[in-house]
Amino acid sequence: MRFVSRRLFEKALARVEAGDFSSYIFQYPPMAAWDTVPSDAEVLSAWTEVAAAGRSPGLYVHVPFCKTKCTFCRFFVLEDDSVDSHEEFVAALEREAALLSPRMKTASFSTLYFGGGTPSLLSERLLARTFSALRRSFRLNPDAQITFEANPEFLTPKKLAVLKAEGVNRLTIGVQSLDDRVIARVERTQTNSAVASTFQAARSAGIPYINIDLMAGLPGQTTSSFRETFDQVLSWKPDTIHINPFAPTPFTRFSQRGGTRTDADVRRQRAMQDYAGRRMRKAGFRDLPHDAMAADPAAANRQLEESVIGGNSFLGLGIGAVSRAAGRLRYVNVGSLRRYSQETAAGRLPIQKGARLTPRQNQIDFLLNRLWYGGVTDADFRAAFALSITEAFPDEFKRLEKCGALRRQPRMSWSVHPERQRAYFEIKRALYEPEIIRALTRPSTA
Ligand SMILES: C[S@@+](CC[C@H](N)C(=O)[O-])C[C@H]1O[C@@H](n2cnc3c(N)ncnc32)[C@H](O)[C@@H]1O
Ligand code: SF4
């Protein structure tokens, strides 16, 4: 079997990064190669199948609004803090949920995740309205994990009370840095002096688990600035801390304005991650199966574990939300408030485009997700596909072991080389199918 040249594959991956506004660049086939608009009937039939199968899917709500876009942010964001827009969004979300609801009557979701953007930008009234629309349309398991992403700037005690009353049991607060100079440099709306009291207010509200997101390697961030932030955050005793290494994708303002990073910047970023890892291990935190560490593993992001890494279906609602149904359909919602509103008002699902997955593509998707988060075992693959990895991908895995991107461990499991970015490039190069690479490198897809 021949593998595509490095050069051509770099070109293909550049398209993957530039063409995926969900920032979910390890999904397969990648969004940049999606060329289908699945019909509502097809989507609804896939969800009927998921509901009938009796496995609990995940429910995801994408709230795309932010007051301003931070220069480092790689997510799909609409800079819009007007209450009218938020109101229009929630009304459309109610309609989208109602369109899907009849097919999901027998399904019971194991997770509900509000991501963004900034879900905490919605007012108390709109938050309560959103929860009641979701409860009207869908059923949650009694022990469902309900996660809510918040920016500390907009997380008031009143909103915390609504979240607690609505059953949010995991709050993830984006702090990024407590250094005023860094916050100003990345053009983020955040008053650092108030962040600690916001965290304490969240604790007092009685939300069981709190995660803090920090970033390593931000523009203008020095190692000592990172350490100071990290030490302070650790002293608050959050349940998990997620250190996100800055990824300057084409969707960041940093890259759009021509920002680049030197090798020294990347080395500094690694030093920050290493420092945080050491300190957390010493404080009794443990590695989770994805790239965060927890004082209590029950605080882990279950939607990430079950749906994104675990291969379960997840239903995405909201502007720009991605869904995966029954291992055979992936699609993304439209990316503007106007279209989201129009489509749902006309009684149509607000889908922009999607892809029908072949069984092999579903297997590749499973492997790419698992391997991005550290590793895969043959037992997991067999449980999902009744087939051994080495039967399904003999040449690919042999080659990946040979070049060192994958390390074979006892009992047929593989872990990714610690130089994860470089190893992951080779993993994708080995697993991407020729027709997908062709679609990504065709001039017309530029
Ligand atoms: C959807 S964002 C947001 C939550 C919330 N709006 C906030 O800013 O606090 C989720 C997390 O992604 C991380 N993030 C954003 N852009 C990133 C990038 N370019 N590289 C790595 N992590 C990033 C940040 O740590 C952020 O907390
Ligand atoms: S990091 Fe959060 S607040 Fe900043 S632009 Fe991204 S989603 Fe919005």
Side-chain angles (χ1 to χ4, degrees):
M1 177 170 186
R2 289 195 52 212
F3 292 94
V4 60
S5 78
R6 223 161 206 290
R7 203 82 159 300
L8 188 67
F9 197 63
E10 272 165 7
K11 198 171 149 196
L13 278 197
R15 291 265 170 82
V16 171
E17 285 208 350
D20 187 337
F21 64 83
S22 73
S23 291
Y24 189 16
I25 54 168
F26 39 86
Q27 64 187 331
Y28 191 83
M31 192 186 284
W34 295 0
D35 55 3
T36 308
V37 185
S39 69
D40 285 14
E42 184 179 2
V43 170
L44 292 171
S45 125
W47 285 116
T48 306
E49 187 184 318
V50 171
R55 281 182 78 189
S56 291
L59 184 59
Y60 175 80
V61 178
H62 193 79
V63 182
F65 306 110
C66 290
K67 187 163 185 204
T68 55
K69 183 166 183 178
C70 313
T71 61
F72 63 79
C73 184
R74 64 185 167 91
F75 289 93
F76 170 66
V77 157
L78 299 176
E79 286 175 286
D80 188 344
D81 63 347
S82 108
V83 178
D84 288 351
S85 299
H86 298 177
E87 186 111 30
E88 188 179 344
F89 169 74
V90 172
L93 187 72
E94 286 172 334
R95 295 193 291 268
E96 187 187 17
L99 286 168
L100 288 149
S101 166
R103 303 303 181 111
M104 305 307 284
K105 282 272 181 274
T106 58
S108 189
F109 290 90
S110 62
T111 56
L112 166 59
Y113 193 107
F114 288 86
T118 307
S120 56
L121 202 54
L122 298 182
S123 66
E124 296 100 78
R125 185 178 57 80
L126 288 177
L127 286 173
R129 198 172 139 191
T130 302
F131 275 102
S132 58
L134 295 175
R135 289 191 196 284
R136 248 192 335 271
S137 296
F138 305 112
R139 209 149 46 91
L140 291 179
N141 287 345
D143 65 345
Q145 184 183 67
I146 307 182
T147 298
F148 192 90
E149 274 183 4
N151 175 323
E153 193 70 10
F154 308 106
L155 193 61
T156 61
K158 278 188 179 159
K159 287 185 195 175
L160 279 164
V162 173
L163 299 181
K164 172 68 183 158
E166 296 291 353
V168 169
N169 44 29
R170 183 170 175 274
L171 187 71
T172 165
I173 307 180
V175 170
Q176 326 308 349
S177 167
L178 290 171
D179 182 336
D180 288 339
R181 279 167 314 175
V182 174
I183 291 299
R185 172 89 178 261
V186 298
E187 300 172 18
R188 180 172 168 85
T189 322
Q190 179 166 305
T191 313
N192 274 330
S193 55
V195 177
S197 56
T198 307
F199 176 85
Q200 293 313 333
R203 273 276 184 248
S204 310
I207 292 172
Y209 296 118
I210 304 180
N211 168 66
I212 298 281
D213 273 354
L214 294 179
M215 300 246 334
L218 284 174
Q221 190 180 34
T222 61
T223 314
S224 64
S225 150
F226 176 84
R227 288 179 178 198
E228 270 174 41
T229 291
F230 179 82
D231 290 351
Q232 205 170 330
V233 165
L234 189 64
S235 75
W236 303 341
K237 300 192 177 0
D239 303 288
T240 59
I241 305 181
H242 200 142
I243 309 290
N244 288 313
F246 174 40
T249 73
F251 284 94
T252 60
R253 292 225 161 121
F254 173 85
S255 297
Q256 287 160 359
R257 293 175 184 167
T260 52
R261 293 194 311 158
T262 62
D263 289 348
D265 292 333
V266 175
R267 275 198 299 277
R268 240 191 323 272
Q269 174 173 301
R270 285 218 192 98
M272 294 175 198
Q273 289 174 265
D274 290 346
Y275 175 79
R278 276 198 309 276
R279 295 277 286 120
M280 283 193 274
R281 252 168 234 123
K282 215 164 152 200
F285 281 56
R286 294 286 163 264
D287 286 306
L288 294 173
H290 45 80
D291 47 2
M293 291 185 79
D296 173 357
N301 176 351
R302 256 166 55 193
Q303 185 158 109
L304 183 64
E305 290 182 3
E306 293 176 5
S307 296
V308 179
I309 312 173
N312 241 1
S313 297
F314 56 94
L315 172 60
L317 306 177
I319 300 175
V322 172
S323 299
R324 183 178 63 207
R328 61 180 166 85
L329 203 57
R330 270 189 177 282
Y331 59 88
V332 62
N333 277 357
V334 294
S336 81
L337 176 58
R338 191 177 52 84
R339 284 205 57 211
Y340 183 60
S341 212
Q342 278 171 352
E343 291 298 303
T344 51
R348 289 189 295 265
L349 291 175
I351 294 171
Q352 175 160 322
K353 62 174 179 169
R356 293 184 191 99
L357 274 67
T358 62
R360 185 168 177 86
Q361 288 176 336
N362 193 28
Q363 292 167 1
I364 296 173
D365 186 47
F366 181 92
L367 290 175
L368 287 175
N369 278 288
R370 292 273 164 143
L371 291 171
W372 174 253
Y373 287 105
V376 66
T377 68
D378 201 54
D380 291 342
F381 193 84
R382 269 184 193 281
F385 304 108
L387 182 73
S388 162
I389 293 180
T390 47
E391 279 161 35
F393 298 92
D395 294 347
E396 292 83 351
F397 268 60
K398 215 178 285 165
R399 173 200 157 104
L400 288 170
E401 281 178 34
K402 196 163 165 222
C403 77
L406 287 185
R407 295 168 166 185
R408 193 161 178 157
Q409 316 282 354
R411 271 178 285 173
M412 298 277 284
S413 78
W414 289 265
S415 65
V416 178
H417 189 280
E419 285 278 354
R420 193 165 70 157
Q421 291 290 352
R422 210 176 305 162
Y424 203 62
F425 176 89
E426 291 304 332
I427 290 167
K428 281 184 164 175
R429 183 153 76 117
L431 294 178
Y432 267 47
E433 300 162 298
E435 61 270 29
I436 295 294
I437 298 172
R438 266 197 303 277
L440 292 168
T441 47
R442 252 199 308 266
S444 59
T445 60

